[in-house]
Amino acid sequence: MVGAVAARTGDEMSGPALLVTGLAVTGSPVTASWLLAGLTVSAAVGGPLLGVLLDRVRRPGRALAWCLAGYAGGLLLVVHALGRVPAGAVIAVAVATGLLGPALTGGWTAQLPLAAGGPERLARANALDSMSYNVAGLAGPAVVGVVAAMSGGMTATLVCVALLTAALPIAWTLPAHERPERGTPRLGASVLDSGGRGTSIRGELAEGFGAIVRNRALRRATAGSMVSCCGLAMLVVSAPVLAAELTGEAGHGALLLAVTAACGLAANALMARRDRPWDVVLGWATAVLGVGMALAALAGSFWIAVVAAAVAGAGEGPQLTALFAVRHREAPARLRSQVFTTGASLKITSFALGSAVSGPLAAYSAGWALLAGAALQAAALAVLAPWRR
């Protein structure tokens, strides 16, 4: 869990750090939002391929460690090139770096059954794992805000890289799959499935997507979370703009995101006590998130915006816990990493699309961007209903 917190805190820092750095160097909210979008949009390609790799190799933690190293190196290259080369080239580097993004999210969570020590401990471990996202979401923006205020966005990115590097040795020692060593497969190679038949990487990708599409609960949870995450991006991008409109200081937007994460952490702490009807929780948590975003859109003072951020966090935290619980419950064991990394990549890509749209909207009005995000939460709620299996 320590490694997951370090890696995810670095991941949570990377987006705000690029936003702050891009805004400082270019002075354009649109360019800054496209940097964030570039870092996340390529996850749709990277997630499924990473899932196949993690399901195939005997030591998935070592593959995660290499992904962490690649992601950290890509961030260093982005901040070094920003302002020195054309913005399009920097965004292209961010896109390449983002291919490894799902490893920092779904890649860790997919290893939870191996690290939990038994099915009876999985429910609590899942809630604690979800809390690690909230801890990262709390610490990441807060650290970016403090470091950027003191030393600038580039220094915040360096701190982010340091956290990713600190998680490397922990990822390297994660438990192994209980099957004979096959080695890391080449792209296009095939392995034998449980029935003794050869399965290509293309076939395994089809199986991973099929596991999500054919299972009603997984399909509904995945689609709903994608729509909701697209709307959540509008909260993230709009937070510094809203703070600037209300207080004159864009840095206070990091405080709003930290409040959201803190309330999500508190809500997940309550959820960790026992198992729950997770499909129902997924629905009502999405509704609460939408209410918080609508309240933020109508905020006339910074303190109302803080309350709105708290309401949004009370929904966003349990929503993530419920989503993971549904995936653990429904995913086939041999395709678990694919289900988690594919689901993570789809959410990250939805976040990227939301970031790209919300940049121009927030530049016009943070309130309009937040209302659009609240409308997307309502659409996600419609996808998730009925909430029962």
Side-chain angles (χ1 to χ4, degrees), residues 4-13 16 129-144 236 253-265 316 320:
V5 170
R8 287 167 182 163
T9 301
D11 183 37
E12 290 288 343
M13 288 182 64
D129 182 60
S130 299
M131 289 171 66
S132 75
Y133 284 87
N134 297 125
V135 170
L138 173 62
V143 172
V144 169
V236 174
L255 175 60
L256 294 177
L257 296 178
V259 169
T260 299
C263 290
L265 177 63
E316 192 268 341
L320 188 62

PDB file of all heavy atoms in Angstrom, residues 4-13 16 129-144 236 253-265 316 320:
ATOM      1  N   ALA A   4       1.818   1.943  -3.541  1.00  0.00           N
ATOM      2  CA  ALA A   4       0.676   2.459  -4.296  1.00  0.00           C
ATOM      3  C   ALA A   4       0.425   3.925  -3.969  1.00  0.00           C
ATOM      4  O   ALA A   4       0.135   4.732  -4.863  1.00  0.00           O
ATOM      5  CB  ALA A   4      -0.567   1.624  -3.997  1.00  0.00           C
ATOM      6  N   VAL A   5       0.526   4.289  -2.691  1.00  0.00           N
ATOM      7  CA  VAL A   5       0.308   5.691  -2.302  1.00  0.00           C
ATOM      8  C   VAL A   5       1.365   6.591  -2.939  1.00  0.00           C
ATOM      9  O   VAL A   5       1.053   7.663  -3.467  1.00  0.00           O
ATOM     10  CB  VAL A   5       0.324   5.839  -0.768  1.00  0.00           C
ATOM     11  CG1 VAL A   5       0.350   7.297  -0.368  1.00  0.00           C
ATOM     12  CG2 VAL A   5      -0.907   5.158  -0.162  1.00  0.00           C
ATOM     13  N   ALA A   6       2.642   6.148  -2.906  1.00  0.00           N
ATOM     14  CA  ALA A   6       3.707   6.969  -3.490  1.00  0.00           C
ATOM     15  C   ALA A   6       3.505   7.141  -4.996  1.00  0.00           C
ATOM     16  O   ALA A   6       3.596   8.260  -5.529  1.00  0.00           O
ATOM     17  CB  ALA A   6       5.068   6.326  -3.208  1.00  0.00           C
ATOM     18  N   ALA A   7       3.221   6.031  -5.688  1.00  0.00           N
ATOM     19  CA  ALA A   7       3.045   6.095  -7.144  1.00  0.00           C
ATOM     20  C   ALA A   7       1.831   6.936  -7.513  1.00  0.00           C
ATOM     21  O   ALA A   7       1.877   7.751  -8.450  1.00  0.00           O
ATOM     22  CB  ALA A   7       2.917   4.681  -7.713  1.00  0.00           C
ATOM     23  N   ARG A   8       0.731   6.743  -6.794  1.00  0.00           N
ATOM     24  CA  ARG A   8      -0.497   7.464  -7.133  1.00  0.00           C
ATOM     25  C   ARG A   8      -0.418   8.932  -6.743  1.00  0.00           C
ATOM     26  O   ARG A   8      -1.038   9.781  -7.388  1.00  0.00           O
ATOM     27  CB  ARG A   8      -1.685   6.777  -6.463  1.00  0.00           C
ATOM     28  CG  ARG A   8      -2.012   5.460  -7.149  1.00  0.00           C
ATOM     29  CD  ARG A   8      -2.948   4.602  -6.349  1.00  0.00           C
ATOM     30  NE  ARG A   8      -3.174   3.336  -7.042  1.00  0.00           N
ATOM     31  CZ  ARG A   8      -3.676   2.250  -6.474  1.00  0.00           C
ATOM     32  NH1 ARG A   8      -4.012   2.284  -5.186  1.00  0.00           N
ATOM     33  NH2 ARG A   8      -3.844   1.145  -7.168  1.00  0.00           N
ATOM     34  N   THR A   9       0.336   9.234  -5.677  1.00  0.00           N
ATOM     35  CA  THR A   9       0.536  10.644  -5.349  1.00  0.00           C
ATOM     36  C   THR A   9       1.326  11.326  -6.453  1.00  0.00           C
ATOM     37  O   THR A   9       1.012  12.451  -6.870  1.00  0.00           O
ATOM     38  CB  THR A   9       1.258  10.788  -4.000  1.00  0.00           C
ATOM     39  OG1 THR A   9       0.480  10.164  -2.972  1.00  0.00           O
ATOM     40  CG2 THR A   9       1.450  12.253  -3.652  1.00  0.00           C
ATOM     41  N   GLY A  10       2.369  10.646  -6.948  1.00  0.00           N
ATOM     42  CA  GLY A  10       3.100  11.182  -8.076  1.00  0.00           C
ATOM     43  C   GLY A  10       2.220  11.342  -9.299  1.00  0.00           C
ATOM     44  O   GLY A  10       2.307  12.341 -10.033  1.00  0.00           O
ATOM     45  N   ASP A  11       1.340  10.372  -9.522  1.00  0.00           N
ATOM     46  CA  ASP A  11       0.412  10.451 -10.649  1.00  0.00           C
ATOM     47  C   ASP A  11      -0.549  11.624 -10.481  1.00  0.00           C
ATOM     48  O   ASP A  11      -0.807  12.374 -11.433  1.00  0.00           O
ATOM     49  CB  ASP A  11      -0.356   9.138 -10.751  1.00  0.00           C
ATOM     50  CG  ASP A  11      -1.294   9.097 -11.949  1.00  0.00           C
ATOM     51  OD1 ASP A  11      -0.922   9.635 -13.010  1.00  0.00           O
ATOM     52  OD2 ASP A  11      -2.396   8.528 -11.834  1.00  0.00           O
ATOM     53  N   GLU A  12      -1.100  11.778  -9.272  1.00  0.00           N
ATOM     54  CA  GLU A  12      -2.023  12.887  -9.017  1.00  0.00           C
ATOM     55  C   GLU A  12      -1.324  14.240  -9.127  1.00  0.00           C
ATOM     56  O   GLU A  12      -1.936  15.232  -9.507  1.00  0.00           O
ATOM     57  CB  GLU A  12      -2.644  12.747  -7.622  1.00  0.00           C
ATOM     58  CG  GLU A  12      -3.635  11.610  -7.478  1.00  0.00           C
ATOM     59  CD  GLU A  12      -4.946  11.891  -8.191  1.00  0.00           C
ATOM     60  OE1 GLU A  12      -5.222  13.059  -8.519  1.00  0.00           O
ATOM     61  OE2 GLU A  12      -5.694  10.932  -8.423  1.00  0.00           O
ATOM     62  N   MET A  13      -0.044  14.281  -8.817  1.00  0.00           N
ATOM     63  CA  MET A  13       0.699  15.523  -8.940  1.00  0.00           C
ATOM     64  C   MET A  13       0.997  15.872 -10.393  1.00  0.00           C
ATOM     65  O   MET A  13       1.100  17.045 -10.750  1.00  0.00           O
ATOM     66  CB  MET A  13       2.024  15.422  -8.168  1.00  0.00           C
ATOM     67  CG  MET A  13       1.909  15.450  -6.661  1.00  0.00           C
ATOM     68  SD  MET A  13       3.545  15.385  -5.890  1.00  0.00           S
ATOM     69  CE  MET A  13       4.257  16.940  -6.463  1.00  0.00           C
ATOM     70  N   PRO A  16      -1.827  18.280 -12.257  1.00  0.00           N
ATOM     71  CA  PRO A  16      -1.788  19.668 -11.790  1.00  0.00           C
ATOM     72  C   PRO A  16      -0.445  20.355 -12.025  1.00  0.00           C
ATOM     73  O   PRO A  16      -0.401  21.551 -12.331  1.00  0.00           O
ATOM     74  CB  PRO A  16      -2.084  19.540 -10.289  1.00  0.00           C
ATOM     75  CG  PRO A  16      -2.862  18.276 -10.163  1.00  0.00           C
ATOM     76  CD  PRO A  16      -2.302  17.356 -11.201  1.00  0.00           C
ATOM     77  N   ASP A 129      -7.412   0.216  -0.587  1.00  0.00           N
ATOM     78  CA  ASP A 129      -6.799   0.578  -1.858  1.00  0.00           C
ATOM     79  C   ASP A 129      -7.464   1.821  -2.439  1.00  0.00           C
ATOM     80  O   ASP A 129      -6.787   2.717  -2.955  1.00  0.00           O
ATOM     81  CB  ASP A 129      -6.911  -0.596  -2.829  1.00  0.00           C
ATOM     82  CG  ASP A 129      -6.251  -0.319  -4.168  1.00  0.00           C
ATOM     83  OD1 ASP A 129      -5.038  -0.067  -4.185  1.00  0.00           O
ATOM     84  OD2 ASP A 129      -6.952  -0.343  -5.188  1.00  0.00           O
ATOM     85  N   SER A 130      -8.784   1.875  -2.363  1.00  0.00           N
ATOM     86  CA  SER A 130      -9.493   3.061  -2.844  1.00  0.00           C
ATOM     87  C   SER A 130      -9.103   4.288  -2.024  1.00  0.00           C
ATOM     88  O   SER A 130      -8.988   5.397  -2.561  1.00  0.00           O
ATOM     89  CB  SER A 130     -11.007   2.841  -2.760  1.00  0.00           C
ATOM     90  OG  SER A 130     -11.402   1.761  -3.567  1.00  0.00           O
ATOM     91  N   MET A 131      -8.888   4.087  -0.716  1.00  0.00           N
ATOM     92  CA  MET A 131      -8.462   5.205   0.121  1.00  0.00           C
ATOM     93  C   MET A 131      -7.087   5.719  -0.302  1.00  0.00           C
ATOM     94  O   MET A 131      -6.795   6.909  -0.161  1.00  0.00           O
ATOM     95  CB  MET A 131      -8.440   4.782   1.593  1.00  0.00           C
ATOM     96  CG  MET A 131      -9.832   4.580   2.192  1.00  0.00           C
ATOM     97  SD  MET A 131      -9.789   3.832   3.845  1.00  0.00           S
ATOM     98  CE  MET A 131      -8.982   5.145   4.765  1.00  0.00           C
ATOM     99  N   SER A 132      -6.251   4.823  -0.846  1.00  0.00           N
ATOM    100  CA  SER A 132      -4.934   5.283  -1.295  1.00  0.00           C
ATOM    101  C   SER A 132      -5.077   6.278  -2.440  1.00  0.00           C
ATOM    102  O   SER A 132      -4.266   7.205  -2.564  1.00  0.00           O
ATOM    103  CB  SER A 132      -4.065   4.087  -1.726  1.00  0.00           C
ATOM    104  OG  SER A 132      -4.474   3.573  -2.984  1.00  0.00           O
ATOM    105  N   TYR A 133      -6.112   6.109  -3.277  1.00  0.00           N
ATOM    106  CA  TYR A 133      -6.377   7.099  -4.327  1.00  0.00           C
ATOM    107  C   TYR A 133      -6.761   8.443  -3.700  1.00  0.00           C
ATOM    108  O   TYR A 133      -6.359   9.503  -4.194  1.00  0.00           O
ATOM    109  CB  TYR A 133      -7.513   6.625  -5.236  1.00  0.00           C
ATOM    110  CG  TYR A 133      -7.135   5.555  -6.225  1.00  0.00           C
ATOM    111  CD1 TYR A 133      -7.191   4.208  -5.887  1.00  0.00           C
ATOM    112  CD2 TYR A 133      -6.744   5.885  -7.521  1.00  0.00           C
ATOM    113  CE1 TYR A 133      -6.860   3.227  -6.799  1.00  0.00           C
ATOM    114  CE2 TYR A 133      -6.416   4.901  -8.444  1.00  0.00           C
ATOM    115  CZ  TYR A 133      -6.471   3.574  -8.073  1.00  0.00           C
ATOM    116  OH  TYR A 133      -6.152   2.601  -8.977  1.00  0.00           O
ATOM    117  N   ASN A 134      -7.566   8.376  -2.635  1.00  0.00           N
ATOM    118  CA  ASN A 134      -7.974   9.615  -1.982  1.00  0.00           C
ATOM    119  C   ASN A 134      -6.813  10.296  -1.278  1.00  0.00           C
ATOM    120  O   ASN A 134      -6.700  11.525  -1.299  1.00  0.00           O
ATOM    121  CB  ASN A 134      -9.098   9.342  -0.986  1.00  0.00           C
ATOM    122  CG  ASN A 134     -10.355   8.812  -1.646  1.00  0.00           C
ATOM    123  OD1 ASN A 134     -10.859   7.753  -1.278  1.00  0.00           O
ATOM    124  ND2 ASN A 134     -10.861   9.524  -2.636  1.00  0.00           N
ATOM    125  N   VAL A 135      -5.950   9.485  -0.628  1.00  0.00           N
ATOM    126  CA  VAL A 135      -4.755  10.063  -0.004  1.00  0.00           C
ATOM    127  C   VAL A 135      -3.896  10.747  -1.068  1.00  0.00           C
ATOM    128  O   VAL A 135      -3.407  11.866  -0.885  1.00  0.00           O
ATOM    129  CB  VAL A 135      -3.950   8.969   0.729  1.00  0.00           C
ATOM    130  CG1 VAL A 135      -2.596   9.505   1.173  1.00  0.00           C
ATOM    131  CG2 VAL A 135      -4.728   8.448   1.931  1.00  0.00           C
ATOM    132  N   ALA A 136      -3.732  10.057  -2.199  1.00  0.00           N
ATOM    133  CA  ALA A 136      -2.960  10.641  -3.290  1.00  0.00           C
ATOM    134  C   ALA A 136      -3.641  11.887  -3.835  1.00  0.00           C
ATOM    135  O   ALA A 136      -2.976  12.894  -4.123  1.00  0.00           O
ATOM    136  CB  ALA A 136      -2.772   9.606  -4.401  1.00  0.00           C
ATOM    137  N   GLY A 137      -4.968  11.821  -3.975  1.00  0.00           N
ATOM    138  CA  GLY A 137      -5.688  12.983  -4.462  1.00  0.00           C
ATOM    139  C   GLY A 137      -5.640  14.149  -3.501  1.00  0.00           C
ATOM    140  O   GLY A 137      -5.698  15.315  -3.914  1.00  0.00           O
ATOM    141  N   LEU A 138      -5.531  13.841  -2.203  1.00  0.00           N
ATOM    142  CA  LEU A 138      -5.403  14.894  -1.191  1.00  0.00           C
ATOM    143  C   LEU A 138      -4.001  15.485  -1.186  1.00  0.00           C
ATOM    144  O   LEU A 138      -3.813  16.699  -1.207  1.00  0.00           O
ATOM    145  CB  LEU A 138      -5.741  14.320   0.186  1.00  0.00           C
ATOM    146  CG  LEU A 138      -5.520  15.217   1.400  1.00  0.00           C
ATOM    147  CD1 LEU A 138      -6.407  16.441   1.319  1.00  0.00           C
ATOM    148  CD2 LEU A 138      -5.769  14.439   2.686  1.00  0.00           C
ATOM    149  N   ALA A 139      -3.005  14.595  -1.168  1.00  0.00           N
ATOM    150  CA  ALA A 139      -1.623  15.064  -1.053  1.00  0.00           C
ATOM    151  C   ALA A 139      -1.115  15.681  -2.353  1.00  0.00           C
ATOM    152  O   ALA A 139      -0.407  16.694  -2.333  1.00  0.00           O
ATOM    153  CB  ALA A 139      -0.716  13.904  -0.638  1.00  0.00           C
ATOM    154  N   GLY A 140      -1.486  15.058  -3.490  1.00  0.00           N
ATOM    155  CA  GLY A 140      -0.944  15.508  -4.770  1.00  0.00           C
ATOM    156  C   GLY A 140      -1.203  16.977  -5.074  1.00  0.00           C
ATOM    157  O   GLY A 140      -0.252  17.765  -5.208  1.00  0.00           O
ATOM    158  N   PRO A 141      -2.477  17.405  -5.165  1.00  0.00           N
ATOM    159  CA  PRO A 141      -2.732  18.823  -5.448  1.00  0.00           C
ATOM    160  C   PRO A 141      -2.194  19.757  -4.369  1.00  0.00           C
ATOM    161  O   PRO A 141      -1.740  20.864  -4.671  1.00  0.00           O
ATOM    162  CB  PRO A 141      -4.262  18.893  -5.527  1.00  0.00           C
ATOM    163  CG  PRO A 141      -4.696  17.511  -5.861  1.00  0.00           C
ATOM    164  CD  PRO A 141      -3.717  16.616  -5.179  1.00  0.00           C
ATOM    165  N   ALA A 142      -2.262  19.309  -3.096  1.00  0.00           N
ATOM    166  CA  ALA A 142      -1.767  20.160  -2.015  1.00  0.00           C
ATOM    167  C   ALA A 142      -0.265  20.390  -2.148  1.00  0.00           C
ATOM    168  O   ALA A 142       0.233  21.518  -1.999  1.00  0.00           O
ATOM    169  CB  ALA A 142      -2.095  19.528  -0.668  1.00  0.00           C
ATOM    170  N   VAL A 143       0.483  19.315  -2.434  1.00  0.00           N
ATOM    171  CA  VAL A 143       1.926  19.452  -2.590  1.00  0.00           C
ATOM    172  C   VAL A 143       2.250  20.327  -3.801  1.00  0.00           C
ATOM    173  O   VAL A 143       3.147  21.174  -3.751  1.00  0.00           O
ATOM    174  CB  VAL A 143       2.586  18.064  -2.733  1.00  0.00           C
ATOM    175  CG1 VAL A 143       4.062  18.208  -3.085  1.00  0.00           C
ATOM    176  CG2 VAL A 143       2.436  17.280  -1.435  1.00  0.00           C
ATOM    177  N   VAL A 144       1.498  20.122  -4.898  1.00  0.00           N
ATOM    178  CA  VAL A 144       1.717  20.957  -6.080  1.00  0.00           C
ATOM    179  C   VAL A 144       1.473  22.426  -5.740  1.00  0.00           C
ATOM    180  O   VAL A 144       2.252  23.312  -6.122  1.00  0.00           O
ATOM    181  CB  VAL A 144       0.801  20.514  -7.244  1.00  0.00           C
ATOM    182  CG1 VAL A 144       0.824  21.544  -8.371  1.00  0.00           C
ATOM    183  CG2 VAL A 144       1.242  19.166  -7.770  1.00  0.00           C
ATOM    184  N   VAL A 236     -11.673  19.336 -12.202  1.00  0.00           N
ATOM    185  CA  VAL A 236     -10.234  19.481 -11.997  1.00  0.00           C
ATOM    186  C   VAL A 236      -9.690  20.690 -12.759  1.00  0.00           C
ATOM    187  O   VAL A 236      -8.930  21.505 -12.215  1.00  0.00           O
ATOM    188  CB  VAL A 236      -9.505  18.192 -12.433  1.00  0.00           C
ATOM    189  CG1 VAL A 236      -7.993  18.382 -12.352  1.00  0.00           C
ATOM    190  CG2 VAL A 236      -9.933  17.024 -11.550  1.00  0.00           C
ATOM    191  N   GLY A 253      -7.110  26.938  -6.188  1.00  0.00           N
ATOM    192  CA  GLY A 253      -7.806  25.810  -6.799  1.00  0.00           C
ATOM    193  C   GLY A 253      -7.275  24.482  -6.301  1.00  0.00           C
ATOM    194  O   GLY A 253      -8.030  23.500  -6.192  1.00  0.00           O
ATOM    195  N   ALA A 254      -5.970  24.417  -5.993  1.00  0.00           N
ATOM    196  CA  ALA A 254      -5.406  23.198  -5.422  1.00  0.00           C
ATOM    197  C   ALA A 254      -6.046  22.882  -4.075  1.00  0.00           C
ATOM    198  O   ALA A 254      -6.239  21.714  -3.715  1.00  0.00           O
ATOM    199  CB  ALA A 254      -3.887  23.338  -5.268  1.00  0.00           C
ATOM    200  N   LEU A 255      -6.402  23.921  -3.312  1.00  0.00           N
ATOM    201  CA  LEU A 255      -7.081  23.714  -2.033  1.00  0.00           C
ATOM    202  C   LEU A 255      -8.455  23.082  -2.258  1.00  0.00           C
ATOM    203  O   LEU A 255      -8.856  22.176  -1.517  1.00  0.00           O
ATOM    204  CB  LEU A 255      -7.217  25.036  -1.292  1.00  0.00           C
ATOM    205  CG  LEU A 255      -8.016  25.006   0.014  1.00  0.00           C
ATOM    206  CD1 LEU A 255      -7.370  24.053   1.006  1.00  0.00           C
ATOM    207  CD2 LEU A 255      -8.136  26.403   0.603  1.00  0.00           C
ATOM    208  N   LEU A 256      -9.172  23.541  -3.271  1.00  0.00           N
ATOM    209  CA  LEU A 256     -10.484  22.956  -3.563  1.00  0.00           C
ATOM    210  C   LEU A 256     -10.351  21.470  -3.900  1.00  0.00           C
ATOM    211  O   LEU A 256     -11.133  20.637  -3.421  1.00  0.00           O
ATOM    212  CB  LEU A 256     -11.144  23.698  -4.726  1.00  0.00           C
ATOM    213  CG  LEU A 256     -11.537  25.155  -4.478  1.00  0.00           C
ATOM    214  CD1 LEU A 256     -12.111  25.766  -5.746  1.00  0.00           C
ATOM    215  CD2 LEU A 256     -12.552  25.252  -3.339  1.00  0.00           C
ATOM    216  N   LEU A 257      -9.361  21.122  -4.709  1.00  0.00           N
ATOM    217  CA  LEU A 257      -9.156  19.712  -5.062  1.00  0.00           C
ATOM    218  C   LEU A 257      -8.724  18.899  -3.841  1.00  0.00           C
ATOM    219  O   LEU A 257      -9.110  17.737  -3.697  1.00  0.00           O
ATOM    220  CB  LEU A 257      -8.111  19.605  -6.167  1.00  0.00           C
ATOM    221  CG  LEU A 257      -8.488  20.238  -7.504  1.00  0.00           C
ATOM    222  CD1 LEU A 257      -7.347  20.095  -8.504  1.00  0.00           C
ATOM    223  CD2 LEU A 257      -9.763  19.617  -8.060  1.00  0.00           C
ATOM    224  N   ALA A 258      -7.952  19.506  -2.951  1.00  0.00           N
ATOM    225  CA  ALA A 258      -7.543  18.817  -1.733  1.00  0.00           C
ATOM    226  C   ALA A 258      -8.740  18.558  -0.820  1.00  0.00           C
ATOM    227  O   ALA A 258      -8.840  17.499  -0.187  1.00  0.00           O
ATOM    228  CB  ALA A 258      -6.479  19.621  -1.003  1.00  0.00           C
ATOM    229  N   VAL A 259      -9.670  19.508  -0.730  1.00  0.00           N
ATOM    230  CA  VAL A 259     -10.883  19.317   0.059  1.00  0.00           C
ATOM    231  C   VAL A 259     -11.713  18.175  -0.520  1.00  0.00           C
ATOM    232  O   VAL A 259     -12.244  17.326   0.216  1.00  0.00           O
ATOM    233  CB  VAL A 259     -11.711  20.621   0.102  1.00  0.00           C
ATOM    234  CG1 VAL A 259     -13.103  20.370   0.677  1.00  0.00           C
ATOM    235  CG2 VAL A 259     -10.994  21.669   0.931  1.00  0.00           C
ATOM    236  N   THR A 260     -11.819  18.117  -1.839  1.00  0.00           N
ATOM    237  CA  THR A 260     -12.538  17.023  -2.481  1.00  0.00           C
ATOM    238  C   THR A 260     -11.922  15.683  -2.116  1.00  0.00           C
ATOM    239  O   THR A 260     -12.624  14.725  -1.755  1.00  0.00           O
ATOM    240  CB  THR A 260     -12.522  17.210  -4.013  1.00  0.00           C
ATOM    241  OG1 THR A 260     -13.172  18.434  -4.342  1.00  0.00           O
ATOM    242  CG2 THR A 260     -13.220  16.061  -4.713  1.00  0.00           C
ATOM    243  N   ALA A 261     -10.594  15.594  -2.192  1.00  0.00           N
ATOM    244  CA  ALA A 261      -9.916  14.343  -1.873  1.00  0.00           C
ATOM    245  C   ALA A 261     -10.055  13.986  -0.396  1.00  0.00           C
ATOM    246  O   ALA A 261     -10.236  12.816  -0.040  1.00  0.00           O
ATOM    247  CB  ALA A 261      -8.445  14.437  -2.257  1.00  0.00           C
ATOM    248  N   ALA A 262      -9.974  14.981   0.503  1.00  0.00           N
ATOM    249  CA  ALA A 262     -10.080  14.720   1.937  1.00  0.00           C
ATOM    250  C   ALA A 262     -11.462  14.164   2.286  1.00  0.00           C
ATOM    251  O   ALA A 262     -11.585  13.212   3.072  1.00  0.00           O
ATOM    252  CB  ALA A 262      -9.813  15.996   2.722  1.00  0.00           C
ATOM    253  N   CYS A 263     -12.497  14.729   1.712  1.00  0.00           N
ATOM    254  CA  CYS A 263     -13.848  14.230   1.991  1.00  0.00           C
ATOM    255  C   CYS A 263     -14.060  12.858   1.368  1.00  0.00           C
ATOM    256  O   CYS A 263     -14.770  12.007   1.928  1.00  0.00           O
ATOM    257  CB  CYS A 263     -14.886  15.217   1.484  1.00  0.00           C
ATOM    258  SG  CYS A 263     -14.920  16.744   2.448  1.00  0.00           S
ATOM    259  N   GLY A 264     -13.454  12.613   0.217  1.00  0.00           N
ATOM    260  CA  GLY A 264     -13.506  11.273  -0.354  1.00  0.00           C
ATOM    261  C   GLY A 264     -12.819  10.258   0.537  1.00  0.00           C
ATOM    262  O   GLY A 264     -13.296   9.127   0.709  1.00  0.00           O
ATOM    263  N   LEU A 265     -11.695  10.647   1.135  1.00  0.00           N
ATOM    264  CA  LEU A 265     -10.983   9.768   2.060  1.00  0.00           C
ATOM    265  C   LEU A 265     -11.828   9.463   3.284  1.00  0.00           C
ATOM    266  O   LEU A 265     -11.922   8.316   3.732  1.00  0.00           O
ATOM    267  CB  LEU A 265      -9.662  10.423   2.471  1.00  0.00           C
ATOM    268  CG  LEU A 265      -8.802   9.688   3.490  1.00  0.00           C
ATOM    269  CD1 LEU A 265      -8.356   8.347   2.941  1.00  0.00           C
ATOM    270  CD2 LEU A 265      -7.584  10.539   3.870  1.00  0.00           C
ATOM    271  N   GLU A 316     -17.341  11.236  -4.821  1.00  0.00           N
ATOM    272  CA  GLU A 316     -16.270  10.688  -5.651  1.00  0.00           C
ATOM    273  C   GLU A 316     -15.529   9.549  -4.957  1.00  0.00           C
ATOM    274  O   GLU A 316     -15.142   8.565  -5.601  1.00  0.00           O
ATOM    275  CB  GLU A 316     -15.298  11.823  -6.018  1.00  0.00           C
ATOM    276  CG  GLU A 316     -14.309  11.460  -7.102  1.00  0.00           C
ATOM    277  CD  GLU A 316     -13.016  10.901  -6.566  1.00  0.00           C
ATOM    278  OE1 GLU A 316     -12.736  11.128  -5.371  1.00  0.00           O
ATOM    279  OE2 GLU A 316     -12.292  10.229  -7.333  1.00  0.00           O
ATOM    280  N   LEU A 320     -15.461   5.426  -6.376  1.00  0.00           N
ATOM    281  CA  LEU A 320     -14.285   4.667  -6.776  1.00  0.00           C
ATOM    282  C   LEU A 320     -14.229   3.323  -6.062  1.00  0.00           C
ATOM    283  O   LEU A 320     -13.928   2.287  -6.667  1.00  0.00           O
ATOM    284  CB  LEU A 320     -13.025   5.479  -6.483  1.00  0.00           C
ATOM    285  CG  LEU A 320     -11.715   4.905  -7.015  1.00  0.00           C
ATOM    286  CD1 LEU A 320     -11.734   4.824  -8.530  1.00  0.00           C
ATOM    287  CD2 LEU A 320     -10.529   5.741  -6.540  1.00  0.00           C
TER     288      LEU A 320
END
